[in-house]
Amino acid sequence: MDIQPETPWDGTPDVSSRIVTAIGRIGGVLRSGVWAFATAEGLNPAQVEILQLLYRRSRGVRLTWLARQLSISSASASDSVASLVSKGLLRKARDSEDARATALFLTDAGAALAGRAGAALGFADDAAAALPEATQLALLTGLFRLIAGLQQTQRFPELRACLSCRFFEPDRYPGQPTPHHCALVDAPLPLKFLRIDCAEHEPADADSERRNWRIFT
Ligand code: SF4
């Protein structure tokens, strides 16, 4: 005889499990958008992601950093980079922080292509923008909390986020509606303006970064 569940919802996965499933599905939709764009441009998805990672970045990046961001081997990253250099979308130059090292920069053509890649994923931005502002803010806060938790697992690649930036001053105005501050522009930094990928970002020391992410845990 079949065992009947006590309630019709007994088989429903936990909320946490469904959050992870939903994020995975959204990631899949975004990846397929990148895939379609890459195919149309004669590139592979990893190459498009490299162009996006370098977009609006004034300082060059090392190959090892790219490999970490994409969770691929240095050898695979090297192949993708070599192909992008041969297509005139990336260039190599001396790293400003270490004259013996090589850094990678977008060419003008690479920057234009990265901009078009962003526009190709505009459908996702449109869907997020259509949510009520309070929902957007609650979602952003929840995602910061989730990222903060994942940071503790050492599985999350380095971000150019306010919370890992040396210019970020947490709780500079305690008890105020806008407690945080950006020392670069010397202005209070409301939650709704906290960045996940800022072109002016400069890494904070490890202790400060851990303390900053704790704001969201
Ligand atoms: S806005 Fe940019 S420069 Fe300012 S704290 Fe955030 S990441 Fe750093």
Side-chain angles (χ1 to χ4, degrees), residues 160-162 165 167-168 182 184 189 195 198 200-201:
R160 294 189 300 172
C162 291
C165 178
F167 298 117
F168 181 69
C182 171
L184 182 75
L189 190 51
R195 296 185 181 187
C198 173
E200 283 78 36
H201 174 274

Side-chain angles (χ1 to χ4, degrees), residues 41-44 47 81-90 107 109:
E41 295 287 340
L43 301 173
N44 66 40
Q47 291 168 342
V81 163
S83 172
L84 291 169
V85 170
S86 72
K87 290 174 195 288
L89 299 171
L90 275 192
T107 61

Side-chain angles (χ1 to χ4, degrees), residues 31 34 44-54 66 69-70:
R31 270 196 305 282
V34 171
N44 66 40
Q47 291 168 342
V48 171
E49 284 189 66
I50 288 173
L51 298 177
Q52 288 182 299
L53 282 168
L54 284 164
L66 277 180
Q69 292 291 316
L70 296 172

